[in-house]
Amino acid sequence: MRNHDVIVLGGGISGVCAALHLQARGMRVLLVDRAAPGDEASRANAGILARDGFSPVDWPVTAGEILSRVMRPAGRIRLDLRSLPAALPFLRAAHMAVQTGAAARTGRAIAPLQAIAAGEHLALARAASALRFFRRTGWIKIYRRQASYEASEQDRHFARIFGVPYTDLSAADLVRLEPHLVSFDHAGLYWPDTQSVSSPGGVTKAYARLFRERGGETEMGKAETLVATRDGWSVRTTRGEAEGRRAVIALGAGAPGVLARLGVELPVATMRGYHRHFRAVSGVTLSRPITDIDNGYTLTPMERGLRLVGGHELTRVDRPVRETALLRAGAAARALMPIGAQVEEVPIPGVRLCMPDGLPVMGQVPALPGLWLALGNERSSFGLGAAMGRLLAETMTGARPFADPAPYSPVRFISD
C-alpha cells in the first residue's frame, strides 16, 4: 500500500490547483483521474478569468419559464426535456436559494475569490512557464436588446460596490476596440480587469507538469473505487491500491456518482456546453473574448483559431450531443464578424456541475472524516480554480484562510 497525506480525485483545473496548493504546504499528494490532467472539461470552456458575475444564476421557476427553456431559449440555458424530471429537485432548490438577500450573499461570496483569482493563476503560470497563455485584454459583452442591458444592472451594481471597473460601450466604441466587428446599433460593456487564456487545457497541463516537477505523483484510476479505510481513504489506480489520510473530490460532473456510492446526495444538476474552432480570415483579428448575451455564445481567440462556446443546456451526462444550438450561435457569430471554416466536424462537449445557489462547494463532508469537496462552480470553474485551490489548502491545513470558507461549505446542502 502506497501512503499519501492527500489523494486528490480529478485532473481538471480545480483538482490540479488543489494539488499544487496542498503540495506547497508540505503535503504528499497523489493526483488521480481517469484521463491525463487537462484532457476533459477543463479544456472545453472559454478560458475566462472573470471579474463580473456577482448575481445568482437566473434559473427558471414557473411552468411557463421552464417550458420556454425546453423550447428555443435564445441566449438562455436550455432545459433538455428528457432530463427535466431529474432536474426538478435542483430547480426547486435553486428557487429557494435565490430568495430575499440572495443577491447580496452571492456577491459577497464571489467577490473575494475573484479578487485574487488572476493573481493566483499568474503565480502558478509563472512557476510553470505558462505565462504565454495569459492575456490582459479584458472582456466585452454585447447586448442586442435594451432589456438585456437593463437586466445586467444588478451585476453592475455589485461591481460598483466591490470596486470592479467597467465601461459602457456604444456601437462606435465597440468597433474602436475590435475593428473587425460588424457595426450595429447595440450597447456593450467592457470589463478591463477580466483576463483570458489562449488554451485552458494547455494551462491545466502546464500546472500538472509543475506539480510533478515538485515531486507530486499523477496516476490514472477510477474515482468510483474510493473507499473509507481505518486510517483514511483508498483508491485503485493503474499502479495498484493507494491510500491517503484525506481525500479531495474535485471531479466536477463526475462527483455525484462517486458521492452517491458513499451515501452522500447533493441537489445538483449537470450543464453541458459545446465549443468549436474556426480558422481565421486573412487580415481579420479578434483581440479579446466577446460574449453575445442575447444569442448565448462567446467568441474568443485561441491557439487553434477562433473558439465559439455556446449551446449550454441542463441535461443528463448520458444524453446525446446536440449541435443545433451551437449551429445557431455560429450563424449569429458570422453576422458579428468574418470567421473562416470550422476546424472540427463534431463540436467538443464539456460538462459542468451546477449548484442551486451558483456558489462552489469547498469543505469537509459531514459524517465522513477526511473527505473534502472542491467542485460546483459552473460560472467560472477555470477562472476560480487557483483561488479555490488555495482556500481549500488553507482550510485543510489550519492556516488562516484569505476568505471566510463558510459560504462554500457542503454543510449548506448536507447535514450530519
PDB file of all heavy atoms in Angstrom, residues 138-165:
ATOM      1  N   GLY A 138      -9.034  42.193 -21.248  1.00  0.00           N
ATOM      2  CA  GLY A 138     -10.411  42.480 -20.872  1.00  0.00           C
ATOM      3  C   GLY A 138     -11.424  41.607 -21.607  1.00  0.00           C
ATOM      4  O   GLY A 138     -11.064  40.693 -22.354  1.00  0.00           O
ATOM      5  N   TRP A 139     -12.698  41.930 -21.398  1.00  0.00           N
ATOM      6  CA  TRP A 139     -13.807  41.115 -21.904  1.00  0.00           C
ATOM      7  C   TRP A 139     -14.929  42.063 -22.323  1.00  0.00           C
ATOM      8  O   TRP A 139     -15.270  42.990 -21.595  1.00  0.00           O
ATOM      9  CB  TRP A 139     -14.266  40.172 -20.789  1.00  0.00           C
ATOM     10  CG  TRP A 139     -15.353  39.199 -21.118  1.00  0.00           C
ATOM     11  CD1 TRP A 139     -15.829  38.841 -22.337  1.00  0.00           C
ATOM     12  CD2 TRP A 139     -16.089  38.425 -20.154  1.00  0.00           C
ATOM     13  NE1 TRP A 139     -16.808  37.880 -22.220  1.00  0.00           N
ATOM     14  CE2 TRP A 139     -16.991  37.610 -20.892  1.00  0.00           C
ATOM     15  CE3 TRP A 139     -16.072  38.339 -18.769  1.00  0.00           C
ATOM     16  CZ2 TRP A 139     -17.863  36.731 -20.269  1.00  0.00           C
ATOM     17  CZ3 TRP A 139     -16.945  37.457 -18.153  1.00  0.00           C
ATOM     18  CH2 TRP A 139     -17.830  36.660 -18.889  1.00  0.00           C
ATOM     19  N   ILE A 140     -15.480  41.827 -23.507  1.00  0.00           N
ATOM     20  CA  ILE A 140     -16.602  42.626 -23.997  1.00  0.00           C
ATOM     21  C   ILE A 140     -17.879  41.793 -23.951  1.00  0.00           C
ATOM     22  O   ILE A 140     -17.884  40.630 -24.381  1.00  0.00           O
ATOM     23  CB  ILE A 140     -16.361  43.102 -25.446  1.00  0.00           C
ATOM     24  CG1 ILE A 140     -15.217  44.122 -25.489  1.00  0.00           C
ATOM     25  CG2 ILE A 140     -17.619  43.730 -26.032  1.00  0.00           C
ATOM     26  CD1 ILE A 140     -14.828  44.524 -26.894  1.00  0.00           C
ATOM     27  N   LYS A 141     -18.951  42.400 -23.450  1.00  0.00           N
ATOM     28  CA  LYS A 141     -20.282  41.784 -23.520  1.00  0.00           C
ATOM     29  C   LYS A 141     -21.172  42.681 -24.366  1.00  0.00           C
ATOM     30  O   LYS A 141     -21.230  43.897 -24.157  1.00  0.00           O
ATOM     31  CB  LYS A 141     -20.879  41.600 -22.124  1.00  0.00           C
ATOM     32  CG  LYS A 141     -20.145  40.577 -21.278  1.00  0.00           C
ATOM     33  CD  LYS A 141     -20.897  40.299 -19.989  1.00  0.00           C
ATOM     34  CE  LYS A 141     -20.224  39.201 -19.197  1.00  0.00           C
ATOM     35  NZ  LYS A 141     -20.970  38.874 -17.958  1.00  0.00           N
ATOM     36  N   ILE A 142     -21.849  42.061 -25.325  1.00  0.00           N
ATOM     37  CA  ILE A 142     -22.723  42.791 -26.241  1.00  0.00           C
ATOM     38  C   ILE A 142     -24.184  42.514 -25.882  1.00  0.00           C
ATOM     39  O   ILE A 142     -24.568  41.359 -25.629  1.00  0.00           O
ATOM     40  CB  ILE A 142     -22.452  42.364 -27.695  1.00  0.00           C
ATOM     41  CG1 ILE A 142     -21.063  42.829 -28.127  1.00  0.00           C
ATOM     42  CG2 ILE A 142     -23.507  42.921 -28.632  1.00  0.00           C
ATOM     43  CD1 ILE A 142     -20.658  42.307 -29.477  1.00  0.00           C
ATOM     44  N   TYR A 143     -24.972  43.570 -25.877  1.00  0.00           N
ATOM     45  CA  TYR A 143     -26.409  43.466 -25.584  1.00  0.00           C
ATOM     46  C   TYR A 143     -27.180  43.974 -26.798  1.00  0.00           C
ATOM     47  O   TYR A 143     -27.130  45.152 -27.131  1.00  0.00           O
ATOM     48  CB  TYR A 143     -26.766  44.301 -24.346  1.00  0.00           C
ATOM     49  CG  TYR A 143     -26.024  43.853 -23.115  1.00  0.00           C
ATOM     50  CD1 TYR A 143     -24.754  44.367 -22.830  1.00  0.00           C
ATOM     51  CD2 TYR A 143     -26.562  42.906 -22.250  1.00  0.00           C
ATOM     52  CE1 TYR A 143     -24.058  43.950 -21.706  1.00  0.00           C
ATOM     53  CE2 TYR A 143     -25.875  42.483 -21.136  1.00  0.00           C
ATOM     54  CZ  TYR A 143     -24.616  43.004 -20.867  1.00  0.00           C
ATOM     55  OH  TYR A 143     -23.919  42.584 -19.759  1.00  0.00           O
ATOM     56  N   ARG A 144     -27.887  43.079 -27.454  1.00  0.00           N
ATOM     57  CA  ARG A 144     -28.627  43.442 -28.659  1.00  0.00           C
ATOM     58  C   ARG A 144     -29.999  44.036 -28.334  1.00  0.00           C
ATOM     59  O   ARG A 144     -30.634  44.636 -29.202  1.00  0.00           O
ATOM     60  CB  ARG A 144     -28.776  42.219 -29.569  1.00  0.00           C
ATOM     61  CG  ARG A 144     -27.432  41.699 -30.078  1.00  0.00           C
ATOM     62  CD  ARG A 144     -27.597  40.421 -30.873  1.00  0.00           C
ATOM     63  NE  ARG A 144     -26.315  39.931 -31.375  1.00  0.00           N
ATOM     64  CZ  ARG A 144     -25.783  40.256 -32.536  1.00  0.00           C
ATOM     65  NH1 ARG A 144     -26.428  41.083 -33.332  1.00  0.00           N
ATOM     66  NH2 ARG A 144     -24.625  39.759 -32.904  1.00  0.00           N
ATOM     67  N   ARG A 145     -30.464  43.817 -27.119  1.00  0.00           N
ATOM     68  CA  ARG A 145     -31.763  44.368 -26.705  1.00  0.00           C
ATOM     69  C   ARG A 145     -31.568  45.239 -25.465  1.00  0.00           C
ATOM     70  O   ARG A 145     -30.788  44.902 -24.572  1.00  0.00           O
ATOM     71  CB  ARG A 145     -32.755  43.237 -26.390  1.00  0.00           C
ATOM     72  CG  ARG A 145     -33.093  42.352 -27.590  1.00  0.00           C
ATOM     73  CD  ARG A 145     -34.169  41.333 -27.242  1.00  0.00           C
ATOM     74  NE  ARG A 145     -33.749  40.458 -26.165  1.00  0.00           N
ATOM     75  CZ  ARG A 145     -34.346  40.386 -24.976  1.00  0.00           C
ATOM     76  NH1 ARG A 145     -35.378  41.190 -24.708  1.00  0.00           N
ATOM     77  NH2 ARG A 145     -33.907  39.560 -24.053  1.00  0.00           N
ATOM     78  N   GLN A 146     -32.292  46.314 -25.381  1.00  0.00           N
ATOM     79  CA  GLN A 146     -32.196  47.207 -24.229  1.00  0.00           C
ATOM     80  C   GLN A 146     -32.562  46.475 -22.943  1.00  0.00           C
ATOM     81  O   GLN A 146     -31.958  46.706 -21.887  1.00  0.00           O
ATOM     82  CB  GLN A 146     -33.111  48.416 -24.427  1.00  0.00           C
ATOM     83  CG  GLN A 146     -33.047  49.436 -23.296  1.00  0.00           C
ATOM     84  CD  GLN A 146     -31.674  50.082 -23.151  1.00  0.00           C
ATOM     85  OE1 GLN A 146     -30.917  50.155 -24.127  1.00  0.00           O
ATOM     86  NE2 GLN A 146     -31.349  50.533 -21.948  1.00  0.00           N
ATOM     87  N   ALA A 147     -33.552  45.577 -23.027  1.00  0.00           N
ATOM     88  CA  ALA A 147     -33.962  44.838 -21.829  1.00  0.00           C
ATOM     89  C   ALA A 147     -32.830  43.981 -21.285  1.00  0.00           C
ATOM     90  O   ALA A 147     -32.688  43.811 -20.067  1.00  0.00           O
ATOM     91  CB  ALA A 147     -35.181  43.972 -22.148  1.00  0.00           C
ATOM     92  N   SER A 148     -32.015  43.420 -22.179  1.00  0.00           N
ATOM     93  CA  SER A 148     -30.890  42.596 -21.740  1.00  0.00           C
ATOM     94  C   SER A 148     -29.854  43.451 -21.019  1.00  0.00           C
ATOM     95  O   SER A 148     -29.298  43.044 -19.994  1.00  0.00           O
ATOM     96  CB  SER A 148     -30.245  41.907 -22.942  1.00  0.00           C
ATOM     97  OG  SER A 148     -31.171  41.096 -23.608  1.00  0.00           O
ATOM     98  N   TYR A 149     -29.591  44.632 -21.572  1.00  0.00           N
ATOM     99  CA  TYR A 149     -28.646  45.533 -20.915  1.00  0.00           C
ATOM    100  C   TYR A 149     -29.171  45.941 -19.538  1.00  0.00           C
ATOM    101  O   TYR A 149     -28.427  45.947 -18.556  1.00  0.00           O
ATOM    102  CB  TYR A 149     -28.412  46.767 -21.779  1.00  0.00           C
ATOM    103  CG  TYR A 149     -27.567  47.808 -21.080  1.00  0.00           C
ATOM    104  CD1 TYR A 149     -26.184  47.664 -20.984  1.00  0.00           C
ATOM    105  CD2 TYR A 149     -28.161  48.916 -20.482  1.00  0.00           C
ATOM    106  CE1 TYR A 149     -25.422  48.605 -20.314  1.00  0.00           C
ATOM    107  CE2 TYR A 149     -27.403  49.856 -19.820  1.00  0.00           C
ATOM    108  CZ  TYR A 149     -26.032  49.698 -19.736  1.00  0.00           C
ATOM    109  OH  TYR A 149     -25.281  50.617 -19.062  1.00  0.00           O
ATOM    110  N   GLU A 150     -30.454  46.265 -19.448  1.00  0.00           N
ATOM    111  CA  GLU A 150     -31.023  46.675 -18.165  1.00  0.00           C
ATOM    112  C   GLU A 150     -30.963  45.539 -17.151  1.00  0.00           C
ATOM    113  O   GLU A 150     -30.788  45.777 -15.944  1.00  0.00           O
ATOM    114  CB  GLU A 150     -32.463  47.137 -18.369  1.00  0.00           C
ATOM    115  CG  GLU A 150     -32.555  48.447 -19.155  1.00  0.00           C
ATOM    116  CD  GLU A 150     -33.976  48.824 -19.522  1.00  0.00           C
ATOM    117  OE1 GLU A 150     -34.896  48.012 -19.234  1.00  0.00           O
ATOM    118  OE2 GLU A 150     -34.170  49.909 -20.110  1.00  0.00           O
ATOM    119  N   ALA A 151     -31.084  44.301 -17.619  1.00  0.00           N
ATOM    120  CA  ALA A 151     -31.009  43.153 -16.708  1.00  0.00           C
ATOM    121  C   ALA A 151     -29.624  42.978 -16.110  1.00  0.00           C
ATOM    122  O   ALA A 151     -29.466  42.292 -15.091  1.00  0.00           O
ATOM    123  CB  ALA A 151     -31.422  41.884 -17.447  1.00  0.00           C
ATOM    124  N   SER A 152     -28.621  43.597 -16.736  1.00  0.00           N
ATOM    125  CA  SER A 152     -27.256  43.494 -16.203  1.00  0.00           C
ATOM    126  C   SER A 152     -26.987  44.487 -15.077  1.00  0.00           C
ATOM    127  O   SER A 152     -25.886  44.510 -14.524  1.00  0.00           O
ATOM    128  CB  SER A 152     -26.235  43.719 -17.322  1.00  0.00           C
ATOM    129  OG  SER A 152     -26.187  45.090 -17.711  1.00  0.00           O
ATOM    130  N   GLU A 153     -27.966  45.302 -14.724  1.00  0.00           N
ATOM    131  CA  GLU A 153     -27.751  46.339 -13.710  1.00  0.00           C
ATOM    132  C   GLU A 153     -27.355  45.744 -12.359  1.00  0.00           C
ATOM    133  O   GLU A 153     -26.549  46.338 -11.627  1.00  0.00           O
ATOM    134  CB  GLU A 153     -29.009  47.191 -13.558  1.00  0.00           C
ATOM    135  CG  GLU A 153     -29.006  48.129 -12.348  1.00  0.00           C
ATOM    136  CD  GLU A 153     -27.792  49.049 -12.284  1.00  0.00           C
ATOM    137  OE1 GLU A 153     -27.183  49.341 -13.335  1.00  0.00           O
ATOM    138  OE2 GLU A 153     -27.446  49.475 -11.165  1.00  0.00           O
ATOM    139  N   GLN A 154     -27.891  44.582 -12.018  1.00  0.00           N
ATOM    140  CA  GLN A 154     -27.535  44.006 -10.725  1.00  0.00           C
ATOM    141  C   GLN A 154     -26.040  43.692 -10.653  1.00  0.00           C
ATOM    142  O   GLN A 154     -25.380  43.985  -9.648  1.00  0.00           O
ATOM    143  CB  GLN A 154     -28.348  42.745 -10.460  1.00  0.00           C
ATOM    144  CG  GLN A 154     -28.230  42.249  -9.022  1.00  0.00           C
ATOM    145  CD  GLN A 154     -29.225  41.147  -8.720  1.00  0.00           C
ATOM    146  OE1 GLN A 154     -29.101  40.025  -9.181  1.00  0.00           O
ATOM    147  NE2 GLN A 154     -30.237  41.491  -7.941  1.00  0.00           N
ATOM    148  N   ASP A 155     -25.501  43.121 -11.729  1.00  0.00           N
ATOM    149  CA  ASP A 155     -24.055  42.870 -11.753  1.00  0.00           C
ATOM    150  C   ASP A 155     -23.270  44.178 -11.703  1.00  0.00           C
ATOM    151  O   ASP A 155     -22.244  44.281 -11.026  1.00  0.00           O
ATOM    152  CB  ASP A 155     -23.672  42.086 -13.010  1.00  0.00           C
ATOM    153  CG  ASP A 155     -23.687  40.588 -12.765  1.00  0.00           C
ATOM    154  OD1 ASP A 155     -23.724  40.178 -11.601  1.00  0.00           O
ATOM    155  OD2 ASP A 155     -23.663  39.831 -13.744  1.00  0.00           O
ATOM    156  N   ARG A 156     -23.733  45.180 -12.439  1.00  0.00           N
ATOM    157  CA  ARG A 156     -23.041  46.466 -12.423  1.00  0.00           C
ATOM    158  C   ARG A 156     -23.128  47.119 -11.041  1.00  0.00           C
ATOM    159  O   ARG A 156     -22.163  47.739 -10.576  1.00  0.00           O
ATOM    160  CB  ARG A 156     -23.621  47.386 -13.508  1.00  0.00           C
ATOM    161  CG  ARG A 156     -23.233  46.944 -14.916  1.00  0.00           C
ATOM    162  CD  ARG A 156     -23.831  47.841 -15.985  1.00  0.00           C
ATOM    163  NE  ARG A 156     -25.229  47.529 -16.233  1.00  0.00           N
ATOM    164  CZ  ARG A 156     -26.210  48.412 -16.292  1.00  0.00           C
ATOM    165  NH1 ARG A 156     -25.964  49.693 -16.096  1.00  0.00           N
ATOM    166  NH2 ARG A 156     -27.447  48.037 -16.551  1.00  0.00           N
ATOM    167  N   HIS A 157     -24.259  46.931 -10.384  1.00  0.00           N
ATOM    168  CA  HIS A 157     -24.439  47.470  -9.026  1.00  0.00           C
ATOM    169  C   HIS A 157     -23.395  46.876  -8.076  1.00  0.00           C
ATOM    170  O   HIS A 157     -22.725  47.622  -7.340  1.00  0.00           O
ATOM    171  CB  HIS A 157     -25.857  47.143  -8.545  1.00  0.00           C
ATOM    172  CG  HIS A 157     -26.080  47.365  -7.085  1.00  0.00           C
ATOM    173  ND1 HIS A 157     -26.200  48.624  -6.533  1.00  0.00           N
ATOM    174  CD2 HIS A 157     -26.188  46.473  -6.053  1.00  0.00           C
ATOM    175  CE1 HIS A 157     -26.380  48.509  -5.223  1.00  0.00           C
ATOM    176  NE2 HIS A 157     -26.376  47.217  -4.908  1.00  0.00           N
ATOM    177  N   PHE A 158     -23.239  45.567  -8.108  1.00  0.00           N
ATOM    178  CA  PHE A 158     -22.259  44.941  -7.214  1.00  0.00           C
ATOM    179  C   PHE A 158     -20.826  45.230  -7.648  1.00  0.00           C
ATOM    180  O   PHE A 158     -19.922  45.323  -6.811  1.00  0.00           O
ATOM    181  CB  PHE A 158     -22.509  43.438  -7.118  1.00  0.00           C
ATOM    182  CG  PHE A 158     -23.706  43.087  -6.280  1.00  0.00           C
ATOM    183  CD1 PHE A 158     -24.845  42.557  -6.867  1.00  0.00           C
ATOM    184  CD2 PHE A 158     -23.704  43.319  -4.920  1.00  0.00           C
ATOM    185  CE1 PHE A 158     -25.960  42.258  -6.106  1.00  0.00           C
ATOM    186  CE2 PHE A 158     -24.819  43.023  -4.141  1.00  0.00           C
ATOM    187  CZ  PHE A 158     -25.954  42.495  -4.731  1.00  0.00           C
ATOM    188  N   ALA A 159     -20.613  45.395  -8.949  1.00  0.00           N
ATOM    189  CA  ALA A 159     -19.276  45.789  -9.406  1.00  0.00           C
ATOM    190  C   ALA A 159     -18.884  47.141  -8.810  1.00  0.00           C
ATOM    191  O   ALA A 159     -17.741  47.339  -8.380  1.00  0.00           O
ATOM    192  CB  ALA A 159     -19.237  45.843 -10.931  1.00  0.00           C
ATOM    193  N   ARG A 160     -19.831  48.046  -8.762  1.00  0.00           N
ATOM    194  CA  ARG A 160     -19.544  49.350  -8.160  1.00  0.00           C
ATOM    195  C   ARG A 160     -19.256  49.212  -6.669  1.00  0.00           C
ATOM    196  O   ARG A 160     -18.350  49.861  -6.124  1.00  0.00           O
ATOM    197  CB  ARG A 160     -20.711  50.311  -8.406  1.00  0.00           C
ATOM    198  CG  ARG A 160     -20.916  50.674  -9.881  1.00  0.00           C
ATOM    199  CD  ARG A 160     -21.922  51.794 -10.045  1.00  0.00           C
ATOM    200  NE  ARG A 160     -23.281  51.418  -9.684  1.00  0.00           N
ATOM    201  CZ  ARG A 160     -24.186  50.903 -10.516  1.00  0.00           C
ATOM    202  NH1 ARG A 160     -23.849  50.658 -11.783  1.00  0.00           N
ATOM    203  NH2 ARG A 160     -25.397  50.624 -10.109  1.00  0.00           N
ATOM    204  N   ILE A 161     -20.008  48.358  -5.999  1.00  0.00           N
ATOM    205  CA  ILE A 161     -19.792  48.148  -4.564  1.00  0.00           C
ATOM    206  C   ILE A 161     -18.403  47.565  -4.295  1.00  0.00           C
ATOM    207  O   ILE A 161     -17.691  47.996  -3.371  1.00  0.00           O
ATOM    208  CB  ILE A 161     -20.881  47.219  -3.989  1.00  0.00           C
ATOM    209  CG1 ILE A 161     -22.230  47.940  -3.960  1.00  0.00           C
ATOM    210  CG2 ILE A 161     -20.503  46.724  -2.596  1.00  0.00           C
ATOM    211  CD1 ILE A 161     -23.385  47.069  -3.522  1.00  0.00           C
ATOM    212  N   PHE A 162     -17.995  46.592  -5.103  1.00  0.00           N
ATOM    213  CA  PHE A 162     -16.729  45.900  -4.872  1.00  0.00           C
ATOM    214  C   PHE A 162     -15.545  46.540  -5.588  1.00  0.00           C
ATOM    215  O   PHE A 162     -14.431  46.023  -5.549  1.00  0.00           O
ATOM    216  CB  PHE A 162     -16.856  44.433  -5.292  1.00  0.00           C
ATOM    217  CG  PHE A 162     -17.906  43.668  -4.537  1.00  0.00           C
ATOM    218  CD1 PHE A 162     -18.909  42.988  -5.204  1.00  0.00           C
ATOM    219  CD2 PHE A 162     -17.901  43.648  -3.148  1.00  0.00           C
ATOM    220  CE1 PHE A 162     -19.886  42.294  -4.510  1.00  0.00           C
ATOM    221  CE2 PHE A 162     -18.877  42.957  -2.441  1.00  0.00           C
ATOM    222  CZ  PHE A 162     -19.880  42.286  -3.117  1.00  0.00           C
ATOM    223  N   GLY A 163     -15.787  47.680  -6.234  1.00  0.00           N
ATOM    224  CA  GLY A 163     -14.689  48.405  -6.866  1.00  0.00           C
ATOM    225  C   GLY A 163     -14.147  47.751  -8.116  1.00  0.00           C
ATOM    226  O   GLY A 163     -12.966  47.910  -8.437  1.00  0.00           O
ATOM    227  N   VAL A 164     -14.992  47.030  -8.846  1.00  0.00           N
ATOM    228  CA  VAL A 164     -14.576  46.384 -10.094  1.00  0.00           C
ATOM    229  C   VAL A 164     -14.927  47.318 -11.251  1.00  0.00           C
ATOM    230  O   VAL A 164     -16.106  47.641 -11.463  1.00  0.00           O
ATOM    231  CB  VAL A 164     -15.270  45.025 -10.282  1.00  0.00           C
ATOM    232  CG1 VAL A 164     -14.866  44.383 -11.607  1.00  0.00           C
ATOM    233  CG2 VAL A 164     -14.929  44.098  -9.126  1.00  0.00           C
ATOM    234  N   PRO A 165     -13.960  47.765 -12.028  1.00  0.00           N
ATOM    235  CA  PRO A 165     -14.247  48.741 -13.083  1.00  0.00           C
ATOM    236  C   PRO A 165     -14.949  48.117 -14.289  1.00  0.00           C
ATOM    237  O   PRO A 165     -14.725  46.947 -14.616  1.00  0.00           O
ATOM    238  CB  PRO A 165     -12.866  49.261 -13.469  1.00  0.00           C
ATOM    239  CG  PRO A 165     -11.932  48.143 -13.146  1.00  0.00           C
ATOM    240  CD  PRO A 165     -12.511  47.469 -11.927  1.00  0.00           C
TER     241      PRO A 165
END
